[in-house]
């Protein structure tokens, strides 16, 4: 049976889905973060937001005590002060993420697979959805997972392939929908609710009917107009040394964050600094770190309508090539700042909804370290949370083209992004997305490219995965650039 969208002018996702009520997939939809544009009560503080996201103790007095740090809350590896016990719990959940490789391989081989997610309000419980769960060998979903970990199986209406195809179909129909009066700002696959969500800035009845005819399974969501980071900060003093996570500036105009360092396989001897594509949209201009020119941007970048990744790269000068090419800044607020080595990458389809992820950004660090900034409590250089949408195509502002914009010009839309449940700010674009770590190594997941408009209640950020970074650079721009996963690369 085909599930059709409600006939109302703009249908809003049922509020119960963000409150832990039973969902149509047969398991509890425990997403602590509501749809875009919805404020979270008492969550202007990053520590409160993090604790509510992961179901940790979050009463105001306790959160205020934790925010002071000290010996009882000395762990900063997740971007907010945690006790040793809380950090151990987060690490236990991270270990569960790492144990799912065999289970995911089996699940993806099943024709009825509808996706998987991590339920963080159920202590990191993995949930696998199928349209025909009775045909599934449950023991194979527990293979490699600790025996004490519960693995849930739920029933869904649509397979992941059907959801993805619907998302792609809507994205391919943007021009048709615009002509019909539907201004689409994003199209996202929500594995947890087993739906395709369409955010709109404006819509006519004709436009709503056009969407229903194209994709009757889609759900319309009101509002939610995020914008790409505009890179407008004026100063971000970093530690010394060129590594991922530092601020970079284009000819004194556009600030962004350095991402991962890579090498070109198609041209020997070229070391690349990868960042967001919209950062290098100005062409082959010099880029600086502090007062030094570190290199120049390639003429082409993956930032155009329908691109698979918002990605760009800078050719590093020989004097700016780091001796250890896989280093990245992890947490600038510790003393000394924590630096990690990127030693592996994760495929896009293995980055599940509900999984723990972190982002480093120098715009956020700047706000956090300047108390006069009204948003300084909302941002940290290191910010962690979870993936809240498995895949998302584009997001933008209320303009006639409904495309992703930097400031108010140069609007584009990007495909196949992941959505996280925490915000970023101007200057964070290009920063590395990785898994949280208590050690000295990290798993590279992708590149931060978008965020909602700055406010204490905004709760969305977007990143393009490393896998699609590589595809965009290689297949569409002609540059075979891979991340350096060893010091010598």
């Amino acid at each position: 049976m085909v599930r059709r969208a409600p006939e109302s002018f703009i249908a809003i996702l049922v509020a119960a889905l963000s409150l832990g009520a039973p969902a149509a997939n047969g398991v509890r939809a425990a997403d602590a973060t509501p749809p875009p544009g919805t404020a979270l009560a008492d969550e202007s503080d990053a520590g409160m937001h993090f604790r509510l996201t992961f179901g940790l103790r979050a009463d105001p007095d306790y959160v205020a005590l934790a925010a002071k740090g000290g010996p009882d809350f000395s762990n900063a590896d997740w971007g907010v002060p945690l006790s040793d016990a809380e950090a151990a719990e987060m690490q236990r959940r991270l270990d569960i993420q790492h144990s799912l490789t065999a289970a995911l391989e089996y699940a993806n081989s099943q024709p009825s697979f509808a996706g998987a997610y991590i339920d963080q309000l159920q202590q990191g419980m993995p949930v696998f959805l199928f349209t025909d769960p009775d045909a599934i060998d449950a023991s194979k979903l527990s293979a490699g997972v600790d025996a004490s970990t519960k693995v849930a199986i739920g029933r869904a209406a649509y397979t992941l392939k059907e959801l993805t195809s619907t998302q792609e179909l809507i994205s391919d129909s943007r021009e048709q929908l615009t002509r019909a009066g539907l201004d689409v700002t994003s199209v996202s696959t929500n594995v947890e609710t087993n739906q395709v969500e369409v955010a709109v800035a404006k819509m006519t009845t004709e436009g709503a009917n056009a969407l229903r005819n194209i994709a009757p399974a889609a759900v319309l969501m009101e509002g939610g107009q995020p914008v790409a980071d505009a890179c407008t900060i004026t100063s971000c003093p970093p530690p010394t040394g060129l590594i991922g996570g530092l601020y970079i500036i284009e000819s004194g105009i556009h600030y962004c964050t350095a991402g991962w360092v890579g090498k070109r396989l198609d041209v020997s001897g070229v070391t690349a600094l990868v960042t967001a594509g919209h950062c290098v949209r100005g062409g082959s201009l010099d880029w600086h770190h502090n007062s030094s020119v570190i290199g120049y941007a390639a003429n082409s970048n993956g930032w155009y309508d329908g691109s698979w990744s918002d990605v760009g790269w800078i050719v590093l000068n020989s004097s700016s090539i780091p001796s250890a090419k896989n280093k990245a800044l992890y947490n600038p607020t510790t003393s000394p700042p924590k630096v990690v080595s990127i030693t592996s990458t994760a495929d896009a389809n293995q980055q599940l909804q509900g999984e723990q992820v972190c982002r480093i950004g120098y715009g956020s660090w700047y706000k956090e370290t300047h108390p006069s900034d009204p948003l300084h409590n909302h941002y940290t250089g290191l910010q962690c949370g979870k993936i809240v949408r498995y895949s998302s195509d584009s997001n933008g502002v209320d303009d006639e083209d409904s495309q992703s914009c930097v400031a108010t010009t140069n609007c584009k839309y990007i495909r196949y992004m992941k959505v996280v449940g925490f915000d970023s700010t101007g200057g964070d674009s290009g920063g590395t997305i990785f898994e949280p770590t208590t050690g000295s190594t990290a798993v590279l997941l992708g590149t931060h490219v978008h965020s909602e408009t700055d406010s204490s209640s905004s709760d969305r950020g977007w990143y393009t995965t490393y896998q699609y970074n590589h595809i965009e650079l290689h297949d569409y721009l002609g540059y075979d650039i891979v991340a350096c996963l060893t010091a010598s690369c």
Side-chain angles (χ1 to χ4, degrees):
M1 186 176 95
V2 176
R3 185 192 312 166
R4 296 190 175 276
E7 295 296 322
S8 57
F9 182 69
I10 294 182
I12 304 174
L13 196 62
V14 179
L17 290 176
S18 64
L19 298 175
N25 55 29
V27 296
R28 190 173 64 85
D31 185 349
T33 310
T38 304
L40 290 173
D42 301 319
E43 206 178 342
S44 61
D45 177 79
M48 178 71 80
H49 189 133
F50 181 90
R51 290 172 176 280
L52 291 174
T53 295
F54 291 99
L56 302 179
R57 182 175 174 181
D59 52 280
D61 290 343
Y62 185 81
V63 174
L65 179 64
K68 296 177 181 178
D72 291 335
F73 299 93
S74 59
N75 188 289
D77 288 322
W78 277 263
V80 298
L82 297 179
S83 69
D84 289 344
E86 290 169 333
E89 167 62 13
M90 295 303 297
Q91 181 62 52
R92 184 191 66 80
R93 300 185 193 184
L94 192 58
D95 292 341
I96 294 174
Q97 289 183 199
H98 294 161
S99 70
L100 297 177
T101 301
L104 285 169
E105 288 178 355
Y106 169 72
N108 277 295
S109 71
Q110 302 305 301
S112 73
F113 182 50
Y117 66 94
I118 307 295
D119 190 339
Q120 294 294 352
L121 294 187
Q122 292 293 324
Q123 293 75 51
M125 179 178 68
V127 181
F128 292 85
L129 303 178
F130 301 90
T131 57
D132 185 13
D134 297 334
I136 300 304
D137 184 346
S139 66
K140 292 186 177 181
L141 294 178
S142 300
V145 182
D146 185 271
S148 63
T149 299
K150 180 181 179 182
V151 177
I153 301 176
R155 185 181 300 276
Y158 304 105
T159 66
L160 183 58
K161 183 177 181 180
E162 289 172 328
L163 293 175
T164 301
S165 296
T166 299
Q167 177 181 332
E168 292 174 347
L169 179 60
I170 297 172
S171 291
D172 290 339
S173 305
R174 295 175 69 92
E175 292 185 7
Q176 175 186 345
L177 292 170
T178 298
R179 289 193 298 269
L182 185 70
D183 195 354
V184 176
T185 60
S186 71
V187 188
S188 303
T189 295
N190 188 334
V191 168
E192 188 169 348
T193 61
N194 194 233
Q195 293 170 315
V196 174
E197 300 170 346
V198 183
V200 297
K202 59 184 178 182
M203 181 173 63
T204 64
T205 302
E206 180 185 359
N209 290 332
L211 177 62
R212 295 188 186 104
N213 290 332
I214 293 171
V219 173
L220 298 180
M221 297 174 62
E222 181 180 16
Q225 298 93 30
V227 296
D229 291 339
C231 302
T232 58
I233 59 174
T234 58
S235 175
C236 293
T240 58
L242 181 64
I243 54 178
L246 302 185
Y247 89 93
I248 50 178
I249 180 171
E250 176 199 274
S251 302
I253 302 174
H254 300 117
Y255 286 84
C256 282
T257 301
W260 46 274
V261 174
K263 64 178 179 180
R264 286 188 67 177
L265 300 180
D266 55 320
V267 177
S268 62
V270 176
T271 302
L273 177 65
V274 174
T275 186
H278 69 262
C279 290
V280 299
R281 66 191 184 278
S284 55
L285 300 175
D286 287 341
W287 278 79
H288 300 75
H289 169 61
N290 283 342
S291 59
S292 301
V293 176
I294 62 172
Y296 65 92
N299 286 319
S300 299
N301 64 75
W303 192 62
Y304 54 86
D305 284 337
S307 61
W308 286 26
S309 177
D310 183 346
V311 63
W313 66 286
I314 296 166
V315 182
L316 291 178
N317 296 336
S318 58
S319 60
S320 298
I321 297 175
S323 56
K325 300 181 181 64
N326 64 334
K327 296 290 186 180
L329 183 63
Y330 184 80
N331 193 341
T333 62
T334 60
S335 182
K338 181 175 179 177
V339 175
V340 294
S341 298
I342 296 174
T343 57
S344 61
T345 63
D347 290 343
N349 62 1
Q350 292 181 335
Q351 298 176 37
L352 304 181
Q353 195 165 320
E355 282 199 353
Q356 300 180 46
V357 294
C358 295
R359 184 265 306 133
I360 183 69
Y362 253 85
S364 293
W365 174 87
Y366 178 79
K367 287 181 179 294
E368 178 67 12
T369 53
H370 287 69
S372 61
D373 192 301
L375 296 172
H376 77 96
N377 284 329
H378 187 55
Y379 298 101
T380 58
L382 171 68
Q383 196 158 3
C384 302
K386 68 178 183 180
I387 299 173
V388 296
R389 296 295 181 270
Y390 175 77
S391 180
S392 179
D393 286 359
S394 189
N395 42 122
V397 296
D398 187 5
D399 64 7
E400 63 182 5
D401 295 319
S402 303
Q403 296 170 340
S404 175
C405 300
V406 175
T408 57
T409 59
N410 299 322
C411 297
K412 312 292 179 185
Y413 75 88
I414 312 298
R415 296 190 167 195
Y416 308 123
M417 296 181 292
K418 302 282 187 181
V419 188
V420 297
F422 52 90
D423 199 11
S424 298
T425 190
D428 287 340
S429 292
T432 304
I433 304 290
F434 37 56
E435 287 187 345
T437 177
T438 58
S440 59
T441 61
V443 179
L444 173 62
L445 302 179
T447 302
H448 167 71
V449 294
H450 296 303
S451 63
E452 289 186 335
T453 304
D454 285 356
S455 74
S456 62
S457 61
S458 55
D459 57 7
R460 285 292 188 272
W462 284 255
Y463 73 92
T464 52
T465 64
Y466 170 77
Q467 181 179 1
Y468 283 115
N469 283 168
H470 182 261
I471 290 173
E472 183 68 29
L473 288 168
H474 181 270
D475 293 0
Y476 296 92
L477 302 178
Y479 309 121
D480 193 2
I481 300 175
V482 296
C484 291
L485 302 180
T486 64
S488 61
C489 203

